[in-house]
Amino acid sequence: MLLLTRRQTIFAAIAASLVGRPAFAQSAPAKARIALDWTPNTNHIGIYVAKAKGFYAAAGLDVEILPFADTSAGTLVSNGVADFGISSEIEAITQRAAGGDVKMVYGVVQTETARLIFKGGRDDIKSPRDLDGKTYGGFGGTWESALVSAMIRNDGGKGEVKTVTLGTSAYEALDNGSIDFTLEIYTWEGVAAELENRKIARFHYSDYGIPDEQTTVIVSSDTYLSANRDNARAFIQATRKGYAYSIDHPDEACALLISESNGALMNTELVKASQTALIEGHFLKSEAGVIGALDPTKADAIGGFLVENGILVDANGAALKDKPDFSTFYTNELLD
C-alpha cells in the first residue's frame, strides 16, 4: 500500500505540472517573405490563395507578402530583404548573369504572356516588317529594342524604328497617335483593353523568331536556399497548391485575391476575366498539365537570345561573349 500511495503521489504531481500545457510542444512557424513585382494581380493569385486557404500555415510557414516597391523583387531577394520574389525570366537571367544572387525556383506561367500591339484597323500594318520607320512606345529596357528589332528583321524588314519612352497609358498613346506600336501583358492589360472595347491588334513574339519564355517566375537566392532548403521546399509546394486551387476554383480564388489585396483590386470583372484568360490560354497550367515547373529548353533559348543581342553583362558591365551554363540559373528540385 505504501508503494502504491507513493506512485500515486508522483503521478498526481506530474499531471498537475502538465495542466495547461499542449500535449506536444509545437515550434513556431517559420517566417518567409515574398516580394511582389507590381500591385496585386492574377499573376500573384496562387500566393494569395495559399495564404488565405491556410496552405502555408499547414506547411509550417508564416508568409509575409511584401508590397511592390521601386526596387525590383530580384534585387530585394539578392540582398536578403526578401526570401522569394516575383520576377520575369529575362530579369532573373539578367540579374544572375551580372552577379546577383538570384535563382528561379517556380514558373508561374508556362508560356509568353506579352504581345506586340498596335491600333486595330490600320491598313499600313499587316506584319512586323511594316513597323520599320514607325514609332515605338517603350519602357526604357534594353530587352525591348532587341525584341522589336529582331521581330521586324525576322519578318524581312530592317529593324529600324523610332523610340519614345511612354509617359502615359500605352493604349492612350495608341489612340492619340503619338506612337504606332508598343508591348503589353495580354493576360492583364490586354484583357482590360478588351473589356473597354478597345480595338487592338497583336503579334505574338514566337511567331516571328523570338524564343518562347516563361514571362513570370518566382525567384529565391542560393544563400537562402542553402540555409533553408526545407522551408523553401514547403513554400514552393504550398504555392503550387495555391495556383492549382485557383485553376480548379477560379471564382473563389478571385474573391480571395480581391479581399486580401487591401483595396488594391476594385475591378472584379477584370480580375475574373484575367483569371479566365490565364486558365483557358494554358498559362498557369500547360496543355500537358504542367504547373510550376521551369522549362530548361526555354531558359536556354531565351538566355541565348539575350547573349546574342548583347543584353547579358557580367558583374563588371562587360557584355558576355559566351553562353553561361543556364542550368545553374534555376532549379525544379523544390517541386519534388
Side-chain angles (χ1 to χ4, degrees), residues 118-182:
F118 56 98
K119 194 171 183 178
R122 290 189 57 162
D123 295 332
D124 59 333
I125 303 177
K126 301 297 184 183
S127 69
R129 65 175 173 269
D130 297 325
L131 300 175
D132 260 332
K134 290 184 168 55
T135 301
Y136 165 65
F139 307 92
T142 55
W143 147 253
E144 300 168 48
S145 57
L147 164 71
V148 169
S149 179
M151 287 182 69
I152 295 173
R153 286 186 281 105
N154 291 341
D155 191 44
K158 296 179 180 178
E160 299 174 355
V161 301
K162 303 170 187 176
T163 300
V164 298
T165 301
L166 287 171
T168 184
S169 162
Y171 301 98
E172 290 177 7
L174 289 176
D175 285 343
N176 63 34
S178 59
I179 64 172
D180 294 299
F181 67 103
T182 186

Side-chain angles (χ1 to χ4, degrees), residues 177-259:
S178 59
I179 64 172
D180 294 299
F181 67 103
T182 186
L183 309 179
E184 71 170 8
I185 299 297
Y186 169 70
T187 51
W188 186 259
E189 299 167 312
V191 169
E194 290 177 352
L195 292 176
E196 295 167 0
N197 294 315
R198 293 181 182 271
K199 194 173 182 181
I200 299 295
R202 298 174 171 86
F203 294 140
H204 291 222
Y205 301 171
S206 58
D207 289 342
Y208 299 95
I210 308 301
D212 190 22
E213 62 155 331
Q214 294 180 264
T215 322
T216 305
V217 299
I218 295 177
V219 298
S220 188
S221 65
D222 284 320
T223 300
Y224 178 82
L225 295 177
S226 63
N228 303 275
R229 178 66 63 168
D230 290 342
N231 289 341
R233 179 175 285 106
F235 174 83
I236 290 301
Q237 294 190 10
T239 298
R240 179 169 59 180
K241 187 175 181 181
Y243 278 103
Y245 192 93
S246 80
I247 296 168
D248 294 336
H249 306 86
D251 288 341
E252 180 186 355
C254 289
L256 290 173
L257 173 62
I258 293 168
S259 66

Side-chain angles (χ1 to χ4, degrees), residues 66-84:
L66 303 179
F68 169 66
D70 291 337
T71 304
S72 75
T75 299
L76 295 176
V77 166
S78 183
N79 287 283
V81 177
D83 307 310
F84 302 92

Side-chain angles (χ1 to χ4, degrees), residues 108 226 242 275 293-294 305:
V108 175
S226 63
Q275 181 67 1
L294 292 153
F305 178 87

